Amino acid sequence: QVQLVESGGGLVQTGGSLRLSCAASGLTFRNYAMAWFRQAPGKEREYAAAIGWNGTRTYYPDSVKGRFTISRDNAKNMVYLQMNSLKPEDAAVYYCAAGGNNGVVTSVRPRGFAYWGQGTQVTVSS
């Protein structure tokens, strides 16, 4: 079965950095677009970054553009999220997701992704 396992979350001070990792198994990784979503308490799940199958197309909401970088390694079935200049409003549970259509990001809404990890907590202290 498909498994997505996130790691790398933790507590960081405002302005600090974290790198999240997601290990994928049970799927032909290069056939899937990948994304990171996040969900803070009382808020809807929102996308933080998305990437197409070969990494040439990436997508970010304005709230993280210039601070977050998504990347993937198809040889290792891994996707990463480098988060810099973290702010308190970035605090959330971050989820790795696999989906799209033949590796192309067709939607950045949660419904555009079929498989999800369990999430990793990111806490940003002010």
Side-chain angles (χ1 to χ4, degrees), residues 104-120:
V104 175
V105 177
T106 54
S107 171
V108 293
R109 296 178 182 271
R111 66 187 181 196
F113 293 84
Y115 302 107
W116 293 83
Q118 292 299 308
T120 186

Side-chain angles (χ1 to χ4, degrees), residues 13 41 47 58 60 64 75 77 79 81 84 86 95 98 103-104 109 114:
Q13 290 186 332
Y47 100 105
T58 56
Y60 304 95
V64 309
N77 286 10
V79 63
L81 184 67
N84 298 329
L86 282 161
Y95 298 91
V104 175
R109 296 178 182 271

Side-chain angles (χ1 to χ4, degrees), residues 8 13 24 26-28 44 47 54 57 68 82 87 89 94-95 100 102 123:
Q13 290 186 332
L27 74 171
T28 305
E44 291 188 354
Y47 100 105
N54 65 356
R57 294 227 173 186
F68 289 12
Q82 178 67 43
K87 305 175 181 181
E89 51 264 42
Y94 281 72
Y95 298 91
N102 289 326
T123 303

Side-chain angles (χ1 to χ4, degrees), residues 58-78:
T58 56
Y59 306 82
Y60 304 95
D62 289 344
S63 58
V64 309
K65 202 170 291 183
R67 300 188 298 120
F68 289 12
T69 303
I70 188 171
S71 61
R72 64 189 294 163
D73 184 337
N74 287 346
K76 296 181 178 179
N77 286 10
M78 297 288 296

